Amino acid sequence: MQTSLAKPKDNNWPKVYSEQLFHITEVMVTDVASPPVAARIYAYSNLAAYLITKESGKGFKYNDILDQSYLAKQNWDISETRISSPEFAAIYAMLKVGEAIMPSGYLLKEKQAEWIKIATKQKVISKKEVQAHIAFAEAVASKVMDIAKKDGYLQLSTLTRYSPQEGEGFWYPTPPAYIAAVEPEWKTIKPFFITNLTNYSPAPMAPFDMTDGSSFHNQLMEVYTTTNELSDEQKLIANFWDCNPFKVEFSGHMAIGVKKISPGGHWIGITGIAAQKAKLSFQETAFIHALVGMTLHDAFISCWKAKYETDRIRPETVINQKMDQRWRPLLQTPPFPEYTSGHSVISRASAVILTGYFGDNFEFIDSSETYFGLPERPFPSFLYASEEAAISRLYGGIHFRDAIEEGVKQGEKIGDMIWEKVGK
């Protein structure tokens, strides 16, 4: 992806913003950030950009995001520094948070230097103002990281390690790499908007029961039958929404990680595409990216709580054990329990937010994964895209239907709650 050289007067700030944010996505892919970790990174990096835009005094179309979150009473203690380009400072702060919050964040130092060159060359900011703007951006990024350090993430490594349960119906590592369970204690991370996670728990899943005619067995047979009879379009849909950063391919004895964006990264990409189509101002671009990022964060916490409380087996494990040892799903099974479907939860939550902001029938062409070799795909609305993302998990052979359908309901409830707070 080439860095834009658009001037401020070109009114293409959404494109500039999306391209600079994509540098953070690239580092996430390098680090193989898990889906919930990626959402956390998007939340805090975009929060920094939003905070600077807010401090600049520019108004927003909807309610202040922070006033609706647990950060409402946070004293940011940001200096009264007057800056001429909140746009420059906001993007710089976003990249600084990315640097601080990711293992390979140091790779963003080069992108920060490039951003300075771009901004001065295009007269976004004068050279004599750069240092003052950088100091302000770094101060805000530091404040955001102070918040991030208190959300429970740093304590995860001290918690009890997960071990697969004995007995039928429980999750177990899957082929080909048999990766250990990812982020089993993510429910301990602090959400921005959700005050009681139990209020967003899904309905009970179908109990493990291999009896003919049971709900579980019917769903298992649906996965097996569907994946054995996939149309080309269904295969395309499954692959388009794969978004599995843990995909591994083997060549002889060599394991090769396949670069893929996370589910949250896909919806952040869609957010940027919509912002560009709507020709949003810089402040509104920062607003909607921060809101989607923070929504993704909360949705993953809720979903991961359900996953590890239910600890449900994946279709691949059951089919291999009980029906067909050689069967493999179209998509590689991700390394965490099955119920509910993460993509179903976060796609619906994101779609509800984007629909509230941009409208019911906002058509767009999703090009967010062309960088990773996937074609563009047109959608008539965000909700339609979220429905396709959800059913893709059945086509891919990695989820049962109740995990998909209840995941959609879970995501919708979260999205509705957040939009009710921010959009009214």
Side-chain angles (χ1 to χ4, degrees):
M1 181 174 287
Q2 293 297 310
T3 302
S4 173
L5 297 181
K7 298 179 182 180
K9 65 182 177 60
D10 291 339
N11 195 30
N12 206 2
W13 276 118
K15 187 169 189 287
V16 176
Y17 190 102
S18 295
E19 289 174 349
Q20 294 300 321
L21 179 55
F22 190 77
H23 295 318
I24 292 175
T25 299
E26 289 179 299
V27 177
M28 282 191 225
V29 172
T30 298
D31 284 343
V32 196
S34 70
V37 168
R40 178 177 179 268
I41 294 166
Y42 285 126
Y44 287 114
S45 55
N46 284 289
L47 174 58
Y50 173 79
L51 193 56
I52 285 184
T53 309
K54 178 189 172 191
E55 288 297 317
S56 72
K58 293 184 180 295
F60 300 103
K61 183 178 177 182
Y62 294 103
N63 293 331
D64 173 33
I65 297 172
L66 300 185
D67 282 350
Q68 314 308 317
S69 74
Y70 85 89
L71 297 172
K73 296 179 181 178
Q74 173 69 28
N75 179 12
W76 294 97
D77 193 26
I78 296 172
S79 69
E80 295 276 330
T81 306
R82 304 307 300 170
I83 55 172
S84 62
S85 178
E87 298 89 350
F88 170 83
I91 287 175
Y92 197 90
M94 179 172 73
L95 294 172
K96 287 300 292 185
V97 170
E99 177 191 342
I101 206 168
M102 294 187 288
S104 300
Y106 62 87
L107 295 170
L108 291 173
K109 288 183 179 292
E110 178 186 347
K111 304 305 178 184
Q112 293 158 17
E114 286 179 5
W115 174 234
I116 295 168
K117 289 180 182 177
I118 292 166
T120 53
K121 181 177 180 181
Q122 298 303 318
K123 296 183 171 51
V124 171
I125 186 173
S126 67
K127 289 183 179 179
K128 66 181 181 181
E129 294 178 302
V130 167
Q131 283 311 122
H133 280 64
I134 287 176
F136 181 65
E138 288 180 340
V140 172
S142 178
K143 298 288 185 185
V144 171
M145 286 307 302
D146 287 343
I147 297 297
K149 289 171 185 174
K150 298 172 187 173
D151 70 359
Y153 182 78
L154 297 179
Q155 286 70 48
L156 288 177
S157 62
T158 68
L159 301 177
T160 305
R161 294 186 66 84
Y162 170 91
S163 296
Q165 295 188 60
E166 297 288 335
E168 290 194 316
F170 296 117
W171 181 82
Y172 197 80
T174 49
Y178 297 93
I179 299 170
V182 169
E183 306 300 353
E185 296 296 333
W186 200 255
K187 67 181 179 183
T188 64
I189 301 295
K190 190 171 185 65
F192 290 105
F193 303 104
I194 296 176
T195 54
N196 186 344
L197 285 168
T198 305
N199 293 340
Y200 300 90
S201 296
M205 64 185 182
F208 184 83
D209 182 355
M210 290 300 291
T211 307
D212 282 357
S214 73
S215 176
F216 182 85
H217 189 262
N218 287 344
Q219 291 185 72
L220 180 68
M221 293 309 298
E222 181 184 30
V223 174
Y224 188 70
T225 303
T226 300
T227 53
N228 286 335
E229 300 173 354
L230 289 173
S231 67
D232 289 344
E233 176 70 1
Q234 289 171 328
K235 290 177 184 176
L236 190 155
I237 289 169
N239 282 303
F240 186 80
W241 293 102
D242 184 12
C243 307
N244 179 6
F246 298 103
K247 185 173 180 180
V248 177
E249 291 180 353
F250 283 87
S251 178
H253 295 291
M254 184 181 295
I256 303 167
V258 179
K259 286 191 174 185
K260 281 189 178 288
I261 203 170
S262 69
H266 197 138
W267 281 95
I268 285 289
I270 290 172
T271 302
I273 290 164
Q276 289 175 59
K277 183 181 177 185
K279 298 181 179 178
L280 295 186
S281 63
F282 185 89
Q283 61 263 31
E284 289 300 319
T285 300
F287 176 97
I288 192 58
H289 277 85
L291 183 57
V292 170
M294 294 163 75
T295 297
L296 287 166
H297 178 69
D298 281 25
F300 269 113
I301 295 170
S302 175
C303 179
W304 250 241
K305 178 177 184 287
K307 281 185 178 294
Y308 284 95
E309 288 181 350
T310 56
D311 205 22
R312 190 202 230 174
I313 199 167
R314 288 279 183 168
E316 182 168 13
T317 308
V318 191
I319 293 171
N320 288 168
Q321 288 177 352
K322 307 287 188 181
M323 296 169 57
D324 183 349
Q325 288 182 319
R326 297 179 182 176
W327 182 86
R328 290 291 180 270
L330 176 66
L331 301 182
Q332 201 168 105
T333 302
F336 32 82
E338 190 269 347
Y339 191 86
T340 48
S341 157
H343 223 325
S344 301
V345 176
I346 69 98
S347 293
R348 194 55 159 214
S350 300
V352 167
I353 297 298
L354 291 170
T355 300
Y357 188 93
F358 291 102
D360 284 329
N361 297 302
F362 189 96
E363 297 180 10
F364 64 98
I365 296 173
D366 185 357
S367 59
S368 57
E369 298 234 37
T370 54
Y371 177 88
F372 299 94
L374 289 170
E376 295 179 341
R377 189 164 178 81
F379 292 101
S381 70
F382 301 113
L383 293 174
Y384 185 97
S386 73
E387 292 282 354
E388 189 178 278
I391 199 63
S392 75
R393 316 324 262 170
L394 175 63
Y395 300 157
I398 60 175
H399 275 292
F400 300 108
R401 184 172 286 276
D402 61 352
I404 295 166
E405 293 179 350
E406 291 303 324
V408 169
K409 293 176 186 175
Q410 188 179 0
E412 182 143 354
K413 192 173 181 181
I414 293 166
D416 283 344
M417 175 272 293
I418 295 172
W419 186 249
E420 184 69 27
K421 289 183 175 184
V422 175
K424 295 294 186 285

